[in-house]
Structures are given as structure tokens and as C-alpha cells.
Amino acid sequence: MFTHVPNYPQIEKIETGIIGFDLISSGGLPKGRTTLVSGTAGSAKTLFAVQFLAESIQRSGDAGIFVTFEEEPADIRRNVKSLGWDIEAWEAAGLWLFVDASPDPIQDQVEAGRYDLGALLARIEYAVAKIGATRLSMDSLGAIFAQFRDAAIVRAELFRIAYVLRQLKVTSIMTSERTQEYGEIGRFGVEEFVADNVLILRNVLEDEKRRRTMEILKYRGTSHQKGEFPFTIVSGRGILAIPLSAMELNQKSSIVRISSGNDDLDKMCGGGFFRDSIILASGATGTGKTLITTEFLKGGAKHGERCLLFAFEESREQLFRNAEGWGIDFEAMEAAGLLKVVCAYPESASLEDHLIEMKDIIEHYKPNRIAVDSLSAMERVATPKGFREFVISLTSFIKHQEVAGLFTSTTPTLMGGTSVTETHISTLTDSIILLRYVETNGSMRRGLTVLKMRGSIHDKDILEFNIDGTGMHLGEPFHHITGILAGNPRDASFG
Amino acid sequence: MAESDQSTAHQVDSSAEGGATNAWLLRLYIAGQTPKSLAAISNLHRICAEHMVNKYSIEVIDLLEHPQLAEGDKIIAIPTLVRKLPQPIRKIIGDLSDTEKTLVGLQLKSKTV
């Protein structure tokens, strides 16, 4: 028996508009409360504080106050211009007001007797009333502790400010610096007691790669997603969090079949791929992954579907020439508006940035089918953890669009084995196609098998295939050979 | 030296005679008639009378009544004394109960003494 759980009044939250964060925080920041945003140098605390106000101004026209203890207003205005935020215009429109409490570099300050920070509180109250602000950011606590000798006074005054903001029903953020990515929440050891809620921003160096994550450590009296979530900073948009486990798996399942672009392969799959399925084609280099991709795109265009290809291994010229060699005219497909080819070097950006860009292109182009050749190329630019998140996030996103996705994965060895990509993606995919080299009697042949076909029967044979000027042709099964998938083909007739 | 009414926001208390230029222009920020504010006012008058005879003017600004006036001098703490003249501008925070430090802050005394 469950005991009766009293129904406490839910703490209302306000959406921040920071993409991903609202999902992680189950709806945004607790309304009328103060949230501490803590992070090391360069962890994007100030950006978060600015964006919190900027998004609300842009989305709902709600005014905000920015209290700066560190950078001068002129610097902040200039620094965020590249993100597309015109603070000056908002100031003129009465939507943004600075409370400038930045230290004067020239003036020396002497402490002679008892004091409190009543002036700061008076200024904040005045600013809130002046423009009717509902949001406030304070950046950063470390800088105000540095301006005064007595940390106890500063701490007491921060409590008072947080209390007054709550009375004024202002939702606020205080940023604070930490010296380590993992350890004490704030440098002064008191910050977390000022706020009911704590968000940690991290900027960790992992295998020579920078990885930004955010984690909600404490959300008093309200729910949130737990753990670290990667985020990235995109010019023109600011912070974008990538909620992985927070994503809901609520996509519908389609029973409509689509052509793989190859009649033989369709037959093997029991009539083609499902319209909203994710297919993984895995094999060593040269086994025909790009060919499967090319035929997949041709199959789409042939039925008037919009096709999108993300190519991470070959250039546009190479891809178009390859297609031509198999009798497929990419140029004509492109001219008909049925194909879009996006080529990028994995090294050109971080994995998070690639993901954001890919999502943008997908949302903008609205394809019916998407191919990624190859997904495993992205392994080069990420940590195993980062890559896993990337694969899961991309797969989930494509599934949400309810379109077909074909990913290719290059296995590290020529004769079989699995890749990291497969390990991460195999459970997320609906179908897996394996391409293998088969060595028999001194010659190298190629084999294909459908390993998995969710929701359908499929041919379990390993078929030999040939490639010519019209594409891929599946032939007879390798009946007398075993151990192909393991990368160790043997003639079964000799036992 | 005549004490003027402290409830006015701008309380200028000048001891200068006949419109002569004051050597010292001091501005004291307070927030309401708190013990710290009152202490700062009386301590300031005492120090001025002892150390800048007939050469100063004091302006008291109550931020509870005029919070907008805090922005210009970027005042955070209360009480804060700002030495506007002679230049350069200097800030002293606290109720000025520490006379030594106040004098150092006003540069009426060097730190080493």
C-alpha cells in the first residue's frame, strides 16, 4: 500500500527560453525564487545570466534588471552583441536596466566603521519598480565578496536581497565562481545557502576536448532532471542545452514501407524499410556503405521524397562522381529539389555544434529521409561519452521527425568486428544491415545480411553481392561458408 | 556650526563664509535614520570641524528617498562618504567611527603614520 502523499502546492516555474534548459529543469526556473548559477572561469555564467533576461525580453517583453559586480555595463553590452542581443535598444525601450556595482579600478575604498549593503538593496528595489521588472540577474557574487573585507556582512546582505526579491515576486539568478569542476559549490562556501536552487555549469577538459555541461544540483521542493547535460554556445542564439535522457520516446510507429532504393534489398527486408525507422549499415571500408546510402537517396527521390545527406567522409564532388558511377544522377535530384547534400569535416566543429547544426538543417529542410555517411567519422572528434550522447540525441531527434534515417558505420577492421557506433546505436535502430568482406579460395567477395528488422520478418541469409554501373546486385547466399560475421570465413563443407 | 534638518534629502551644511570656494566637498550617502546613519553624520561633523575648519561643505543623501542618486557614484554600501573635492574622488565606507581610517581615507593623514 502506498501511504497518502500530501498534496503540497506546486512551485510555479517560469520558462527561461534557454533551449533544453526548460526541459532539464521541468519547466524553467522556480518563479519568484533565487537560483544560484555556479561555475569555474569560462563556464558561461555571465552568458547564462544575460540570456535569462534576453530571452524573456524577446519572448514576452518582460523587463529585467542586470546587477553587475564585475564587468562594466559597456563591456557586457559589447560582449553579447555578437549573439544578436542589443541591450542598448532594450535599455532605451525600458526593458533592461543595469545596476552598476562594478568596482572602480582607480578609486581606492577605505572601510572605517560599521556598514551594510543597504545602498545596493535600495538601488535594486528602485530599478525593479522603475521598469516593472519580473526577472533579475546578479553577476557575480565572487566580485562583491572581493569588494568588501567582511564576508559575513556580504553574506547577510545577500540573504536580505534574496528575501526582498522574493517579496517583490522577482525571479532571479545569482552567479558564483568555483575553483574546481567537482567539489565545493562556491568559492566562499556560503553561496548555496543564499539560494533555494543551484545550477552548476561545467567546462571540463576531457581527452584534450572541452565539454560543457549543466547540472541542476538542488531545486527545493520541485522536480527536475538529474545529472549532467551537455550544452553548447551558438552565435546568434547563446546557450543551447542538449537534453538526452530528458527526451521523451513518444514517437509513433509506422507500418508504411518505403523503398531502400534497391529492389533486392527491399525483398530481403520483407518489402522495404519502415517509413519512420532508423537503419544502421555497418561494414569495413569499401564494402559498399556509401553505395547503400546513395541508393537509399535515389529510392526516396524516385518517389518524390525529399532527401537529406550529411556526408562526413567524402566531398561533394566525390559523392556526385560516385553516384554517377552507379548510374544515379544526384545533380538532377538536387535540381528537382529532392536532394540536399551537406558535407562537413568532423573536425570543423565540436560534436555539440555539429548536432545543433544538423538539427537546424533538418528542421529547415524538412526531409522525408535522412542519411548520415558515416556516423562513425564523428568518433574522431569526441570522447566516448560525448559521442554516445551525440548518437542518442541525433537518433531521438530524427525519430521525432518521423522520417527514415540511414546511418553508416565503418568497422575498424577489414574482416568484421564491431565499432563503437554500433555499440551505442544498435538498440536504438530498427534495422541493421551488415556488409562484410568474404575471403574464399584466394578471392575477396562481398556479403550482405539483414541482422535485424524490427516489426517484420526478413531474409536471414548472408547474400553475396556485386557492384556494377547500375548499382548493387544481390546474388546467392554463401551456403558453404561459416564465420563470415565473425570475420573468419571458413568452408563449412570441410567441417 | 548650525545643524540643519536631517530629514531633508539634500542637506547642505556649509561652514564657509560669504560664498568662498570650499576646499572640501563631501557627500554622505545614508539609507534612513538608522543608528549607523546617525553615527556617520555626527562622526563626519566632528572630524570636519576638527580637521577642515571653515573650509568644507557636506551634502547628505538619503537613498530611501532618492535611490536614483546612488547610481552616479556607484554606491553599494551604507553609509558611504564620497570626497568629491579635492580631486581625486575617494570613497570611505562605514559609520566613520574609526577616526584614524577616516582621516587616512580623506588623505588628511598618510597610512604610515
Side-chain angles (χ1 to χ4, degrees):
Chain A
M1 271 295 286
F2 289 107
T3 47
H4 176 69
V5 178
N7 209 354
Y8 291 115
Q10 267 292 307
I11 290 172
E12 207 185 325
K13 288 182 188 162
I14 56 164
E15 284 188 12
T16 60
I18 298 173
I19 294 170
F21 175 76
D22 289 337
L23 204 56
I24 296 165
S25 58
S26 304
L29 291 174
K31 193 174 181 178
R33 306 298 170 97
T34 300
T35 301
L36 181 77
V37 177
S38 191
T40 52
S43 63
K45 298 181 297 290
T46 303
L47 180 59
F48 193 96
V50 171
Q51 194 171 351
F52 170 59
L53 303 185
E55 295 287 352
S56 86
I57 290 171
Q58 287 174 317
R59 284 155 52 98
S60 53
D62 286 336
I65 307 292
F66 197 97
V67 185
T68 175
F69 298 128
E70 198 162 12
E71 288 179 90
E72 289 189 27
D75 292 335
I76 296 172
R77 285 188 199 106
R78 196 175 48 240
N79 292 346
V80 304
K81 252 209 175 116
S82 63
L83 293 158
W85 298 326
D86 190 349
I87 294 180
E88 252 169 312
W90 295 334
E91 286 178 297
L95 292 168
W96 180 294
L97 197 59
F98 274 112
V99 171
D100 181 7
S102 59
D104 198 319
I106 311 157
Q107 273 175 31
D108 203 15
Q109 186 171 275
V110 175
E111 291 180 15
R114 295 171 304 142
Y115 60 92
D116 58 48
L117 305 188
L120 177 64
L121 183 61
R123 286 168 71 187
I124 289 173
E125 284 181 293
Y126 170 71
V128 167
K130 189 179 177 187
I131 62 168
T134 54
R135 302 182 184 210
L136 180 141
S137 286
M138 244 184 265
D139 183 59
S140 70
L141 298 190
I144 185 131
F145 275 105
Q147 285 186 46
F148 298 95
R149 285 203 189 141
D150 193 340
I153 291 177
V154 177
R155 188 173 61 225
E157 292 297 292
L158 289 173
F159 268 116
R160 191 150 72 111
I161 290 167
Y163 176 79
V164 169
L165 289 173
R166 199 163 158 174
Q167 302 301 308
L168 294 171
K169 297 184 167 51
V170 171
T171 308
S172 62
I173 280 178
M174 289 182 180
T175 68
S176 170
E177 39 285 288
R178 0 174 32 202
T179 47
Q180 295 167 308
E181 294 295 358
Y182 297 90
E184 273 187 321
I185 290 172
R187 209 167 68 197
F188 296 88
V190 297
E191 293 94 325
E192 66 256 49
F193 302 110
V194 174
D196 287 338
N197 315 297
V198 178
L199 172 71
I200 306 276
L201 300 180
R202 292 193 177 91
N203 183 17
V204 186
L205 194 61
E206 214 176 81
D207 291 344
E208 300 180 2
K209 287 170 192 104
R210 281 274 165 208
R211 204 176 112 84
R212 292 182 183 277
T213 65
M214 55 171 72
E215 178 189 9
I216 295 172
L217 207 66
K218 178 169 109 177
Y219 241 35
R220 192 168 285 169
T222 172
S223 66
H224 63 89
Q225 300 284 330
K226 295 174 181 65
E228 289 184 52
F229 293 90
F231 73 90
T232 185
I233 297 164
V234 178
S235 90
R237 290 166 72 178
I239 291 172
L240 274 108
I242 302 155
L244 298 168
S245 53
M247 270 181 299
E248 306 142 71
L249 280 169
N250 59 359
Q251 61 273 4
K252 296 180 282 273
S253 226
S254 174
I255 51 154
V256 179
R257 300 267 188 169
I258 58 166
S259 170
S260 70
N262 184 299
D263 295 342
D264 296 339
L265 186 57
D266 284 348
K267 231 174 276 166
M268 271 193 96
C269 295
F273 302 140
F274 287 114
R275 193 179 61 195
D276 59 355
S277 61
I278 301 277
I279 305 114
L280 176 70
S282 168
T285 176
T287 45
K289 294 185 302 297
T290 300
L291 172 56
I292 282 202
T293 309
T294 307
E295 295 201 326
F296 176 70
L297 299 170
K298 180 199 75 180
K302 201 171 137 191
H303 293 94
E305 293 176 22
R306 290 160 74 78
C307 304
L308 177 60
L309 170 64
F310 292 106
F312 296 120
E313 281 183 352
E314 288 176 288
S315 71
R316 194 185 148 83
E317 286 69 30
Q318 279 174 303
L319 289 163
F320 278 59
R321 200 178 52 219
N322 291 345
E324 206 184 325
W326 298 315
I328 297 165
D329 191 349
F330 268 4
E331 269 173 40
M333 284 163 64
E334 219 178 31
L338 297 173
L339 176 69
K340 185 179 175 72
V341 177
V342 179
C343 296
Y345 279 110
E347 283 81 1
S348 66
S350 77
L351 215 51
E352 286 84 4
D353 291 340
H354 276 301
L355 182 63
I356 301 289
E357 191 171 350
M358 288 168 82
K359 284 181 174 180
D360 276 353
I361 292 170
I362 293 168
E363 276 179 344
H364 191 251
Y365 182 68
K366 296 188 185 14
N368 300 100
R369 44 176 87 186
I370 298 163
V372 180
D373 186 32
S374 71
L375 194 59
S376 50
M378 287 298 193
E379 283 175 33
R380 294 205 301 263
V381 295
T383 60
K385 198 162 139 200
F387 183 70
R388 188 180 145 265
E389 285 167 353
F390 169 78
V391 170
I392 293 170
S393 182
L394 181 65
T395 318
S396 317
F397 182 77
I398 290 178
K399 274 183 160 282
H400 267 266
Q401 312 297 311
E402 292 173 18
V403 299
L406 174 73
F407 300 157
T408 68
S409 166
T410 307
T411 47
T413 57
L414 282 180
M415 296 306 292
T418 55
S419 66
V420 179
T421 309
E422 283 167 43
T423 314
H424 293 320
I425 198 182
S426 53
T427 54
L428 293 163
T429 56
D430 300 291
S431 308
I432 298 176
I433 298 166
L434 292 185
L435 299 162
R436 289 287 185 265
Y437 284 118
V438 183
E439 182 204 343
T440 56
N441 303 324
S443 71
M444 202 57 122
R445 296 148 76 183
R446 290 190 180 97
L448 177 151
T449 188
V450 177
L451 203 65
K452 170 178 164 187
M453 184 77 199
R454 196 174 275 168
S456 169
I457 53 153
H458 63 90
D459 197 330
K460 313 286 194 296
D461 285 331
I462 301 172
L463 297 185
E464 178 167 11
F465 70 91
N466 293 302
I467 301 171
D468 65 16
T470 57
M472 174 188 280
H473 303 284
L474 295 175
E476 293 299 310
F478 291 96
H479 276 313
H480 302 292
I481 301 168
T482 60
I484 293 172
L485 295 187
N488 185 22
R490 276 167 293 127
D491 193 332
S493 53
F494 292 112
Chain B
M1 186 169 54
E3 286 284 340
S4 50
D5 183 9
Q6 286 173 354
S7 68
T8 57
H10 285 73
Q11 174 205 342
V12 178
D13 178 2
S14 175
S15 64
E17 306 279 334
T21 312
N22 293 315
W24 292 81
L25 180 58
L26 304 169
R27 187 181 286 172
L28 181 68
Y29 290 89
I30 57 165
Q33 305 291 317
T34 63
K36 277 188 281 238
S37 299
L38 296 174
I41 291 168
S42 78
N43 285 330
L44 181 60
H45 279 133
R46 177 176 51 78
I47 290 165
C48 287
E50 280 173 28
H51 297 273
M52 345 165 163
V53 188
N54 292 338
K55 286 189 299 184
Y56 65 95
S57 80
I58 298 169
E59 185 184 8
V60 177
I61 293 177
D62 188 340
L63 292 179
L64 289 192
E65 292 173 41
H66 301 276
Q68 73 278 14
L69 297 177
E71 208 65 37
D73 283 322
K74 298 213 286 194
I75 304 302
I76 302 171
I78 282 292
T80 295
L81 176 66
V82 181
R83 185 186 81 175
K84 305 293 273 187
L85 282 175
Q87 296 269 13
I89 290 173
R90 291 186 61 86
K91 276 184 196 167
I92 300 137
I93 62 171
D95 63 6
L96 312 179
S97 54
D98 189 329
T99 306
E100 284 296 301
K101 281 193 178 147
T102 307
L103 293 175
V104 170
L106 288 168
Q107 291 180 314
L108 283 165
K109 203 168 186 178
S110 73
K111 263 180 201 166
T112 49
V113 178

